[in-house]
Structure formats: structure tokens, C-alpha cells
Amino acid sequence: MADTAGQQTFALERLVRDVADVLYVEAEEVDPDESLLDQGLDSIRLMSLVETWRADGAEVDFVELAERPTLREWAVLLGQPAGASRASR
């Protein structure tokens, strides 16, 4: 049976809400396809998100997210099962 807990925990909808919270905007204002850097996300806020998501079981680091600065890319990254090869990303 496939483990989908991580995929559900870090669904795009949650990521949009979490980013909107740290940017102090409404979720509808966050574009999942636009660079989050262009939407106002800075390194301090990104580190806050990383720590929150790690507390919820994510195996991700700051650099991985910074290299893929859209929410759609983050949803794929965070939805991969633990131990999945990161070389294919």
C-alpha cells in the first residue's frame, strides 16, 4: 500500500495557506506558479516555513526550496515519500 500521508499533509492548498500566512495576504493572492521571491517571500520567512513543515514530518531543507521557488514545485518536492531519490528532481 502506498504511503500518501506526506502528500496529503503537504497538499498544494496547505502550502498556499502557509505561505499566505507568512506573507500576511489572503490565500487567493498567492500564485502557485509564480516565483515566491517575486511575491515577497524572503529567506527569514522561508526558514520559518521549513521549520514548521519539518515539525510536521517534512524531509526538506532551505536550499531545496530556494532552488525551486514556486508552490507547485514545492508540492511535488514535499509530496515525495521519505527516502525517494532526489536526483530525479
Side-chain angles (χ1 to χ4, degrees):
M1 175 178 238
D3 176 15
T4 59
Q7 293 170 344
Q8 293 171 0
T9 301
F10 300 105
L12 182 60
E13 295 78 17
R14 179 207 170 156
L15 302 181
V16 169
R17 283 192 315 269
D18 289 352
V19 168
D21 286 346
V22 300
L23 293 178
Y24 302 106
V25 299
E26 296 296 320
E28 297 78 27
E29 297 177 58
V30 178
D31 183 343
D33 296 309
E34 183 180 339
S35 170
L36 291 163
L37 303 173
D38 294 341
Q39 295 182 69
L41 188 70
D42 58 28
S43 60
I44 302 297
R45 291 178 178 142
L46 178 53
M47 281 305 302
S48 173
L49 290 168
V50 168
E51 292 308 313
T52 297
W53 295 337
R54 281 184 181 165
D56 287 344
E59 293 185 14
V60 68
D61 65 35
F62 176 88
V63 173
E64 289 175 308
L65 295 177
E67 289 176 343
R68 298 164 184 83
T70 71
L71 283 173
R72 289 209 192 273
E73 291 172 306
W74 288 6
V76 170
L77 185 66
L78 288 161
Q80 291 195 354
S85 171
R86 295 180 184 233
S88 63
R89 291 182 199 167

